[in-house]
Amino acid sequence: MNRNIKKTALILGIAGQDGSFLARFLLSKNYSVFGTTRKKISLDQPNLRSLNIQKKVNLLSVELINYESVLELILKTSPDEIYCLAAQSSVSHSFQKPRATLESIIISTINVLEAVKKSNKEIKVYFAGSSECFGDTGIEPATENTPLNPCSPYGIAKSSAHLLTKNYKENYNIFACTGFLFNHESSLRPENFVTQKIIRSCVRISKGSQEKLELGNLSIIRDWGWAPEYVEAMWLMLQRPYPEDFIIATGQSNSLQSFVETSFNYFGLHWRDHILINKEFFRETDILVSRANPEKARKVLDWQPKKKIEDVIRGMIEHRMD
């Protein structure tokens, strides 16, 4: 495509953390950006507003589990690229509402793929996979060739949708790929995520709050990165001449205790003075160790993150302080 021709992107789930940062990134690349949200269209979308882009994107209402609505959306917007980010995103919530989780991820994905096939348009599709697809990795970091081993309804749904994406790529010659994004945080992370819970509590305690932060298993290990950097990797995946799947991560994993300790250290506080371990927060289904090898992304996409866990925590705290 001629560089002077303005591209159009459709972001399914534009109001979430990744969708908002991706919209800002694509706008900086001179894209025309359309986006959908799970909720009824509102004049005020907090994440888009916080990035000062709410008036620069085109918001649309669509029911993603309704195929006809999805097909109509694609024909109406005629996008060059579609980013499938809309879904129930909480692992713990997926145990409470497994059916809704599977519907929001699997049905919406196959509707998009089928609509792209039906439209006969050359559209590139990105599907947001997850580290949860690999389950507990143990000592050996996951690569793109690691067998899928999901341990939650959320992970099962993401794995199924990935396999659907792979199937449509191979059977119908659709440009469709999966990005297996490991944990990535930012100031836009919802409050129900443990990282945001930690940061907000730290800030309140630093200002004099006498509260105790209740947490579960501090020994779980995750690879935490910075969300604004990860959306660039999504875009890079769709700029290639043919679709490939990639693991997107820092390659460095740390315990939740380390995340907590680093957060309290920012304020010169000792974390043990402010933490209570609540056995009710322990879940047998929790993945204990999640490690990633993002070497393929470094070599093929020329992408590697600049921010590590300390930078991520600092960025979240400073935004919260502001």
Side-chain angles (χ1 to χ4, degrees), residues 75-88:
L75 294 176
K76 177 180 179 180
T77 58
S78 192
D80 299 288
E81 300 168 5
I82 298 177
Y83 296 86
C84 301
L85 312 181
Q88 193 287 105

Side-chain angles (χ1 to χ4, degrees), residues 138-150:
I139 298 175
E140 194 68 25
T143 70
E144 291 78 5
N145 296 320
T146 297
L148 304 179
N149 185 32

